[in-house]
């Protein structure tokens, strides 16, 4: 297992997320088959920033002005509702969620049909103001993480905004991403599935695959805006697509042979599949309880 002391910078939110994911382990009804504790929705092809440590700073990275349809989002939420899903729904992925004019409607629908789930978002905060922030929480958002890139003055302005709306630090989390390079910019960095070789801040793909377990496919279901379900949220190159939710059901994809094969390999430290063979992520920081549940199911 990766130790906190092994990392150049350890984001304190990792421990909070690890606990939240573990507490929300649930199983397919009348079985010992784990469901994901986190469903991540990357609901567009756009972001308004090109941070140096993000693949979007690569001049060849594809930006698409397209957004998830309400019908596709509804399909996902409805299928999760039938399973009495009580995990985390998070709007994040490879995008800035607040660029979507329908984001309030999506959040509201998710919270309405999944009242036991925790609805979250990660935003860079660029378009947030008091009115929009209040509307997010009124729509049903439970927790917002804001990644701040522009320094202490920006940070302080968001502290004041949170106090004005009486938001607690449990449901309104400010993350300092403006730290210097020697502190990894305030991020627990990875090479984003090998996609930073031409980025502003370069981290090269692994030349030799790591012999290290990774739990992402054991606890997370990642939906892209066009319906594609990716094996991992670090797969910025979208190289390993497990299925498409427009054509298949949530359970069809979660329990597919391709999904299970990826879990089996990564739970045993086999990173031979793409893009895992060039990825350097510490994938054992979150999801240990799910990893153990899948291993027990196989035994």
């Amino acid at each position: 297992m990766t130790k906190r002391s092994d990392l150049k910078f350890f984001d304190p939110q990792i421990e909070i997320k690890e606990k939240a994911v573990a507490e929300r382990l649930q199983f397919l009804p009348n079985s010992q088959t784990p469901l994901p504790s986190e469903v991540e929705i990357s609901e567009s092809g756009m972001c308004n920033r090109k941070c140096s440590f993000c693949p979007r700073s690569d001049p060849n990275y594809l930006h698409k002005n397209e957004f998830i349809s309400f019908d596709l989002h509804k399909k996902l939420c409805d299928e999760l509702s039938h399973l009495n899903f009580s995990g985390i729904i998070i709007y994040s992925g490879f995008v800035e969620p607040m660029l979507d004019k329908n984001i309030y409607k999506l959040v509201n629908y998710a919270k309405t049909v999944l009242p036991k789930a925790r609805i979250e978002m990660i935003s860079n905060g660029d378009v947030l103001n008091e009115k929009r922030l209040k509307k997010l929480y009124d729509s049903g958002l439970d927790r917002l993480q804001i990644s701040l890139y522009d320094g202490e003055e920006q940070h302080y302005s968001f502290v004041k905004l949170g106090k004005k709306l009486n938001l607690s630090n449990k449901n309104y989390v400010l993350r300092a991403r403006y730290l210097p390079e020697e502190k990894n910019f305030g991020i627990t960095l990875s090479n984003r599935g090998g996609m930073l070789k031409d980025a502003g801040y370069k981290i090269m793909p692994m030349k030799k695959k790591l012999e290290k377990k990774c739990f992402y496919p054991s606890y997370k279901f990642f939906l892209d805006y066009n319906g594609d379900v990716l094996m991992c949220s670090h797969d910025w190159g979208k190289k390993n697509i497990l299925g498409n939710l427009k054509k298949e059901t949530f359970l069809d994809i979660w329990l597919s042979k391709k999904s299970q094969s990826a879990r089996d390999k990564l739970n045993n430290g086999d990173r031979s599949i793409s893009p895992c063979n060039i990825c350097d992520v510490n994938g054992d920081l979150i999801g240990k309880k799910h990893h153990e549940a899948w291993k027990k199911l196989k035994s």
Side-chain angles (χ1 to χ4, degrees), residues 214-220 231-232 242 254 259 262-263 266 294:
C214 183
F215 305 152
Y216 277 93
S218 292
Y219 76 87
K220 183 195 287 275
M231 182 195 67
C232 180
L242 302 175
W254 180 247
S259 295
R263 276 185 211 111
L266 292 171
W294 283 110

Side-chain angles (χ1 to χ4, degrees), residues 43-281:
E43 37 68 70
S44 81
M46 292 295 294
C47 185
N48 61 306
R49 284 188 176 245
K50 297 181 181 180
C51 301
S52 64
F53 42 80
C54 174
R56 288 190 179 275
S57 64
D58 179 345
N60 295 313
Y61 192 85
L62 184 63
H63 309 275
K64 299 194 74 171
N65 190 21
E66 297 177 8
F67 297 84
I68 194 170
S69 70
F70 181 79
D71 287 345
L72 177 59
H73 179 270
K74 180 179 184 298
K75 181 178 187 291
L76 172 65
C77 293
D78 289 349
E79 291 183 10
L80 291 173
S81 178
H82 292 320
L83 297 168
N84 201 26
F85 180 75
S86 59
I88 300 167
I89 301 287
I90 184 165
Y91 300 91
S92 178
F94 311 141
V95 306
E96 169 49 50
M98 290 302 298
L99 296 181
D100 188 349
K101 64 181 181 181
N102 292 315
I103 191 64
Y104 307 104
K105 186 178 179 182
L106 300 182
V107 168
N108 184 253
Y109 190 82
K111 192 61 178 179
T112 299
V113 301
L114 298 166
K116 295 180 181 179
R118 189 167 87 182
I119 313 301
E120 297 192 15
M121 180 187 295
I122 298 176
S123 171
N124 59 35
D126 286 353
V127 302
L128 284 173
N129 54 31
E130 183 180 350
K131 180 180 178 180
R132 289 169 180 164
L133 193 57
K134 185 177 185 302
K135 188 174 180 180
L136 276 176
Y137 287 102
D138 288 346
S139 297
L141 191 72
D142 294 304
R143 189 168 188 264
L144 174 64
Q145 297 181 64
I146 304 178
S147 301
L148 303 170
Y149 300 105
D150 296 337
E152 293 183 359
E153 186 175 341
Q154 181 199 31
H155 199 150
Y156 180 61
S157 69
F158 275 99
V159 170
K160 290 196 297 182
L161 184 57
K163 288 180 178 179
K164 193 171 185 179
L165 293 174
N166 295 315
L167 299 172
S168 75
N169 57 12
K170 290 185 178 180
N171 61 8
Y172 179 72
V173 180
L174 303 180
R175 310 192 299 179
R177 301 307 200 215
Y178 51 81
L179 300 184
E181 181 180 329
E182 56 267 24
K183 292 187 178 180
N184 274 15
F185 310 104
I187 297 176
T188 302
L189 281 174
S190 78
N191 67 12
R192 311 293 179 104
M195 289 291 290
L196 289 182
K197 62 184 178 65
D198 294 315
Y201 181 78
K202 293 176 173 53
I203 305 178
M204 300 306 292
M206 298 295 295
K207 292 182 178 179
K208 181 180 179 182
K209 65 181 177 65
L210 294 178
E211 301 296 332
K212 191 172 187 179
K213 295 177 181 179
C214 183
F215 305 152
Y216 277 93
S218 292
Y219 76 87
K220 183 195 287 275
F221 183 91
F222 186 97
L223 177 67
D224 207 4
Y225 67 94
N226 62 356
D228 285 343
V229 175
L230 275 60
M231 182 195 67
C232 180
S233 54
H234 283 265
D235 184 8
W236 279 73
K238 305 182 181 183
K239 297 175 182 177
N240 199 323
I241 296 172
L242 302 175
N244 188 287
L245 195 66
K246 290 181 179 179
K247 304 172 185 176
E248 304 163 81
T249 68
F250 164 81
L251 278 181
D252 284 341
I253 299 171
W254 180 247
L255 302 177
S256 69
K257 289 182 178 179
K258 191 171 183 179
S259 295
Q260 192 56 58
S261 175
R263 276 185 211 111
D264 290 346
K265 287 179 181 294
L266 292 171
N267 279 335
N268 287 294
D270 178 0
R271 296 197 179 197
S272 59
I273 54 179
S274 178
C276 310
N277 58 332
I278 57 173
C279 182
D280 67 350
V281 72

